[in-house]
Amino acid sequence: MLPPPWAVLAASVAAVLRLAHTYRPVIVVHGLFDSPGDLVTLQTYITQSHPGTNVTIIDLFDRTKSLMSLWSQVEGFKQAIYPIMENAANGVHMICYSQGGLICRGILSTMPAHNVHTLVSLSSPMLGQYGDTDYLKWLFPKYVKSNLYHVCYTQIGQRVSICNYWNDPHHHDLYLNTSNYLALLNNERMNPNASEWKKNFLRLQHLVLIGGPDDGVITPWQSSHFGFYNENETVVEMRRQLGPGPECW
């Protein structure tokens, strides 16, 4: 669902859309355990602020179905989004919330003909997640962040969306060897499609990353800005990340 300061986020999104030629259609992708109903407030805010804007919240992978692997969700959302893009000669904007931001990264990276003008990422774990949160304790009650790698870094674990972006800084080699989503998107492991994915992603005109210390879920919160922990759990900002990764885009 929308975080508590939803009005601030909505206002930020509205401002971005003003700068990016408002009346392109807007496609919204929800987050973990969400459904379109959780984002109606955002939809209403956009249409009230910019009358005439066509806002579509994609109704797929709702609630517990959002736990399906991210690649399967990417393919499903692509099929739903493509007709909207086809009918938008001047392109579209995308607003992707929480886990949805990672899904949108996958969509844009693997969709050669996309016409997304602006991608707005709201509180998305762009470089992964490493923290004990309520939803994590509910889903894996016998595990904490220090030992969740035993589940996530397996073939079975990689069938669960959360494990697709679980990034344990103390078991980085295991992450690199088993992560079949985030590590590929970040170009951290061998990917024969890396150059093509980069070219596809760079079709974007604008990328807007919204996140902050009051997030309460994304850990570290700087992951929403492509920062992440090193092995000492010290946050390394995006531009100081070593090796292949987001700067490769």
Side-chain angles (χ1 to χ4, degrees), residues 17 30 38 205:
L17 295 181
H30 66 72
D38 297 309
Q205 300 300 307

Side-chain angles (χ1 to χ4, degrees), residues 185-200:
L185 280 185
N186 287 345
N187 196 22
E188 294 174 294
R189 61 182 293 186
M190 185 63 67
N191 177 11
N193 299 311
S195 295
E196 180 182 353
W197 287 10
K198 174 182 177 180
K199 181 180 178 181
N200 295 341

Side-chain angles (χ1 to χ4, degrees), residues 50-90:
H50 310 290
T53 303
N54 182 7
V55 181
T56 303
I57 307 175
I58 305 300
D59 188 7
L60 284 175
F61 304 102
D62 301 347
R63 304 304 184 196
T64 56
K65 290 182 180 178
S66 65
L67 290 170
M68 293 178 65
S69 73
L70 291 188
W71 282 124
S72 64
Q73 294 192 54
V74 164
E75 291 307 313
F77 278 110
K78 279 165 68 172
Q79 291 181 31
I81 287 169
Y82 186 72
I84 302 174
M85 292 183 178
E86 273 195 315
N87 292 321
N90 293 321

Side-chain angles (χ1 to χ4, degrees), residues 37-56:
D38 297 309
L39 294 169
V40 168
T41 301
L42 176 61
Q43 181 183 40
T44 301
Y45 190 92
I46 294 172
T47 54
Q48 289 179 346
S49 300
H50 310 290
T53 303
N54 182 7
V55 181
T56 303

Side-chain angles (χ1 to χ4, degrees), residues 7 14 24 31 33 37 77 79 124 145 156 163 179 225 232 241:
R24 290 184 174 93
F33 296 135
F77 278 110
Q79 291 181 31
S124 297
K145 69 176 186 179
I156 293 177
C163 289
S179 173
H225 296 163
N232 299 316
Q241 295 288 329

Side-chain angles (χ1 to χ4, degrees), residues 7 10 74 81 93 129 155-156 170 185 205 209 214:
V74 164
I81 287 169
H93 302 310
Q129 169 80 3
Q155 288 186 346
I156 293 177
H170 306 292
L185 280 185
Q205 300 300 307
L209 305 172
D214 295 329

